[in-house]
Amino acid sequence: MAQIANDWAPVLKEEFSKPYYRKLYEFVHQEYATRTVYPPAQDIFNAFHLTPLSKVKVVILGQDPYHEPGQAHGLCFSVQKGVEIPPSLQNIYKELHDDIGFLIPNHGCLTPWAEQGVLLLNAVLTVRAHAAASHQNKGWEEFTDAVIRAVNQVDRPIVFLLWGGFARGKRSMLTNPKHLVLEAPHPSPLSAYRGFMGCRHFSKANEFLSEHGETPIDWSL
């Protein structure tokens, strides 16, 4: 696994030395050596490489990487250019269009968001090909919970977007009164029309950032 070298490194240093992480590392190393695993090993920590802790303005929580070829590249909901846009991301784009007049792009790569301070964090950072949730309960959740706690402790306004039951289950960890927490159903076709569509989270996030002296996110792609 590629190492985290920016300002996340000292924050997460203790996690790397804990027994659960050593077991996780051994498991992931063995999986990459013997199976097809996504994302590519060098992309596992892309969310951290592209969005240093000091730059985080918005956190979007996902659950698992995409598990089909060419999709996952270390950012939740995002896929590589040239890959078909997944249904959940199509609904995110529709809500953006309705909310802020977003021009829907012909790709699903969200790297520009990450580079502006949107931490696109999956709870589990790897997955076996064609096997959803195959790397759950191996230690990644403990690691990413530590990430969420670290962001919660940051002493400046940050927006958390919690979509769906899994992400909303992290609500109790978000105790910093400086932050804004917005919740909605998941954008998947199964649940988007139960309240994700029309939630206006993107404009609300930018209004909050602007009100607190932060540059809003340019959601265009």
Side-chain angles (χ1 to χ4, degrees), residues 127-169:
V127 68
R128 192 180 293 176
H130 319 301
S134 50
H135 286 187
Q136 287 186 7
N137 302 315
K138 302 296 184 182
W140 278 129
E141 294 91 342
E142 188 167 349
F143 178 76
T144 53
D145 277 357
V147 173
I148 294 168
R149 286 193 295 270
V151 180
N152 178 63
Q153 292 171 5
V154 172
D155 189 32
R156 56 184 166 77
I158 293 173
V159 183
F160 289 83
L161 304 183
L162 308 183
W163 301 333
F166 180 85
R168 296 170 87 170

